[in-house]
Amino acid sequence: MSYTAIASQTLTSSAASVTFSSIPTDGTYRDLVLVINATVSGTNTTPTFTVNGNATGYNQVWAAGNGSTTGSSSTSADAKFYLSYYNNDTTRQQHTIHFMDYSVTDKHKSVLIRSDQASTGTTMSAGRWANTAAITSITLLPQSSGSLTWSTGSTFSLYGIAA
Amino acid sequence: MTMSLVQTIEVGSGGANSVEFTSIPQDATDLLILMSARHQDAGLEEGELTFNSSASGYSTRLLQGSGSSVYTTSTSSAAFCKTTFVTDSAATANTFSNIAIYIPNYTSSAAKSISIDGVTENNATAARQTILAGAWTGTAAITSLKIAIFSTLKYAQNSSFSLYKITKA
C-alpha cells in the first residue's frame, strides 16, 4: 500500500471545521486515507465528520478501551460519523480514516477508523455511509455539536491509494 | 514520492535485543514502522519504543482481544512506549507478529502522538490483537528511534523492521 499526497491543511488559527473538497473521482485513486493530528479547544468532545455535506445514512460500530474499561456500541441512520468512542480532552489526538472504493457509484461507502488519544483511550470502528454517490468532500468537526474549535497547529492530511 | 522506504533492518543469527534507526531524514511529515517480529524466549512480551534515546515521558492506553477475552490497560510517564505483543518461541514455528506504528508530525516541536496496531500470530486459538494509543511528551524532532524487547530477551533471526517516511501535500 503506497500513499500519494492529495491535499493537506495545517491550521494557522483555530477553526470550527475543516473541509476537503473537490476530491478527485476520476479513478486515479481507489481508496482515501485521511490522517488527523490535532488538538481541540475544550474537553468532552467526540470529533465527527460527514461526507458530501450529507447529514443522513451513517452507520457505525465501535470497540474501545480507556485503560480501565472496555466499550462497544453502534449507531444506525445517524447524521454523521464519530471518530472516538470516548470524549476527548485538549491533549493531542490522532485519527486515521480509511475510505474504501470512495469514488465508485455502485456501492455504499465503507470506512475504517482508528482513533487514539493516550490520555483518554483507543478506538477502532467500522462505518457505512448508506449512499452510492462518490465522495467528493469531507468535513470534520471537533465535536458533535457546540462551539469548540480545532486548535492552531492541527494538521489534516489526505492521501490517495492508487487503483 | 509521498511514501518511501527509509531503511529495513533484519535481525541476523544470534538475535538482537533491539534495533535502532538513526539519522532519520527530517524532510517528511509522518513515520510508519512495520514490524514482523518474534522473540527467542517463551512468554509474550511487548516491544519498547523510545525516541532520541529519551527514557521518559511516554504514555499508552490499549485495547486487546485474545480470542476469549478483552482487556484494557494504560501506562503513564513511562520510560518507553510499549508496542503490542511480540510472538514468542512457544508459538507455531515460523510465525511472526505484525505490528504497525504510525507517528504523525515527527519533526514538529509539539508533543508526539503514536498509533499502534498489532497482532501476534499462532496456529492456535490463542493470539492477541491490540490497538494502542501512545504519546511522548518530548518536543524535539525525532531523529532516531529504538525498538527493544524486554530486559535481556532477543528478537529472533529474520525479524524485520521497516521504516517509511510519508510526506503530506
Side-chain angles (χ1 to χ4, degrees), chain A residues 12-88:
Chain A
T12 56
S13 60
S14 62
S17 66
V18 170
T19 296
F20 289 91
S21 57
S22 302
I23 297 172
T25 57
D26 61 356
T28 301
Y29 309 112
R30 189 79 190 185
D31 297 350
L32 297 174
V33 176
L34 178 55
V35 178
I36 301 155
N37 188 230
T39 55
V40 300
S41 60
T43 60
N44 294 323
T45 68
T46 303
T48 64
F49 70 97
T50 56
V51 297
N52 295 7
N54 191 286
T56 60
Y58 298 91
N59 307 273
Q60 195 171 2
V61 59
W62 301 266
N66 66 3
S68 298
T69 59
T70 59
S72 182
S73 185
S74 64
T75 63
S76 62
D78 209 314
K80 62 200 75 176
F81 284 128
Y82 301 82
L83 289 177
S84 307
Y85 178 82
Y86 300 105
N87 288 331
N88 295 335

Side-chain angles (χ1 to χ4, degrees), chain B residues 92-103:
Chain B
T92 306
N94 300 313
T95 60
F96 290 70
S97 57
N98 294 294
I99 301 171
I101 304 170
Y102 198 94
I103 306 159

Side-chain angles (χ1 to χ4, degrees), chain B residues 4 10 39 50 54 73-75 81 94 144 148 163:
Chain B
S4 62
E10 184 163 325
H39 76 84
T50 54
S54 173
T73 190
S74 64
T75 62
C81 174
N94 300 313
S144 66
L163 175 67

Side-chain angles (χ1 to χ4, degrees), chain A residues 94-154:
Chain A
Q94 179 176 341
H95 313 282
T96 302
I97 310 168
H98 190 146
F99 302 81
M100 288 163 282
D101 284 348
Y102 78 98
S103 66
V104 302
T105 57
D106 58 0
K107 62 181 71 170
H108 291 180
K109 303 305 177 289
S110 297
V111 296
L112 293 177
I113 304 168
R114 281 278 287 111
S115 291
D116 289 324
Q117 188 176 48
S119 56
T120 58
T122 181
T123 304
M124 55 183 178
S125 67
R128 176 177 61 90
W129 180 47
N131 196 308
T132 58
I135 294 174
T136 58
S137 69
I138 304 165
T139 298
L140 300 128
L141 301 178
Q143 61 183 140
S144 178
S145 63
S147 59
L148 297 185
T149 57
W150 295 108
S151 300
T152 301
S154 297

Side-chain angles (χ1 to χ4, degrees), chain B residues 25-102:
Chain B
Q26 299 294 293
D27 59 354
T29 312
D30 301 347
L31 295 176
L32 170 66
I33 302 106
L34 299 180
M35 295 172 53
S36 175
R38 182 183 177 101
H39 76 84
Q40 295 180 337
D41 296 88
L44 289 174
E45 296 293 346
E46 294 152 328
E48 300 175 354
L49 170 66
T50 54
F51 303 123
N52 299 357
S53 301
S54 173
S56 64
Y58 302 93
S59 302
T60 63
R61 213 162 288 258
L62 67 83
L63 173 71
Q64 183 181 94
S66 68
S68 59
S69 64
V70 65
Y71 169 72
T72 183
T73 190
S74 64
T75 62
S76 64
S77 301
F80 54 84
C81 174
K82 61 170 68 177
T83 72
T84 60
F85 279 127
V86 174
T87 298
D88 70 326
S89 63
T92 306
N94 300 313
T95 60
F96 290 70
S97 57
N98 294 294
I99 301 171
I101 304 170
Y102 198 94

